[in-house]
Amino acid sequence: MKNSWKIIIGIAVVLLIIGIPFVATYNSLNKKQNEVDAQWANVESKLQRRYDLIPNLVNAVKGDMKQEKEVFGAIADARSAVSKASSQNEQIKAAGQMESAVSRLIATVENYPELKSSENVTRLMDELSGTENRISVERDKYNEVVKSYNTKVKSAPTSFVAGMLGFETKPYFKAVEGADKAPEVNFD
């Protein structure tokens, strides 16, 4: 009888030695994943602000900017891509498309001094600037949280638990292709 109790106690100790770190690792991975999801939601809320606000402001400015119909079309196309995006990667790509269109709009306004004097254009530029700054801050925070999470998922011994439980790395928010070059505006 005493031997069976020793075996049971031994098994319980081994389970505790293995189980406690396993549960702690799972909990820490889950916490990090929730941080990534929460920060992505912050990015999405700022992107949504952009998608809702910019087209309305652009419509108010169209009369002052008749010469730049292409930029307005690019903004409409980007907004459409956002509504069709179903995955996080597609949302990131659509956000880059919108960012490119907004950059061209900013370059257009900067090249036409008479537009800067319009109250609607001034308001649009202020809102664009504020919105893009908010998005930039949230993307930076998102990438920091993803870095922390991905490091945890890829580091031993956590990587073993992550692999067993299906925790996968998350994508970073990257600049769109060609973002390293200044937008070119030509009205010839």
Side-chain angles (χ1 to χ4, degrees):
M1 201 49 135
K2 284 188 175 190
N3 282 338
S4 62
W5 275 108
K6 286 180 183 180
I7 292 173
I8 292 172
I9 291 173
I11 291 172
V13 167
V14 168
L15 288 176
L16 284 174
I17 289 172
I18 293 171
I20 289 174
F22 184 85
V23 169
T25 300
Y26 170 78
N27 287 341
S28 68
L29 283 168
N30 201 26
K31 178 182 175 194
K32 290 286 185 190
Q33 186 173 30
N34 287 336
E35 288 174 8
V36 169
D37 293 343
Q39 190 56 47
W40 177 249
N42 289 342
V43 171
E44 283 183 317
S45 75
K46 300 309 179 267
L47 293 174
Q48 188 64 50
R49 179 182 193 274
R50 177 202 275 166
Y51 304 137
D52 292 342
L53 179 70
I54 303 307
N56 291 330
L57 291 172
V58 166
N59 284 335
V61 174
K62 272 186 181 177
D64 295 327
M65 295 182 66
K66 292 176 185 153
Q67 73 278 6
E68 196 41 66
K69 292 179 182 172
E70 182 184 318
V71 171
F72 300 132
I75 288 172
D77 292 346
R79 190 160 194 247
S80 175
V82 167
S83 66
K84 293 176 185 172
S86 59
S87 71
Q88 194 172 7
N89 283 332
E90 289 175 1
Q91 289 174 327
I92 289 172
K93 184 178 177 184
Q97 194 177 343
M98 177 65 89
E99 194 167 313
S100 176
V102 168
S103 293
R104 288 197 320 247
L105 177 62
I106 291 170
T108 299
V109 171
E110 288 173 351
N111 285 323
Y112 284 90
E114 67 275 5
L115 286 176
K116 291 181 182 178
S117 64
S118 165
E119 185 178 325
N120 285 338
V121 173
T122 301
R123 181 168 177 244
L124 170 65
M125 295 307 293
D126 289 344
E127 290 294 338
L128 282 175
S129 177
T131 298
E132 295 307 308
N133 285 337
R134 287 178 181 131
I135 291 169
S136 177
V137 167
E138 294 304 327
R139 281 190 313 217
D140 289 346
K141 288 179 184 178
Y142 170 78
N143 281 344
E144 283 298 315
V145 173
V146 167
K147 176 183 155 195
S148 176
Y149 171 80
N150 286 350
T151 300
K152 191 158 198 81
V153 166
K154 291 180 176 181
S155 299
T158 307
S159 61
F160 303 119
V161 176
M164 289 182 348
L165 298 176
F167 287 90
E168 296 178 0
T169 59
K170 300 285 186 177
Y172 285 101
F173 207 114
K174 297 178 182 174
V176 294
E177 190 173 318
D180 56 335
K181 298 176 184 127
E184 187 177 313
V185 178
N186 185 354
F187 293 109
D188 292 333

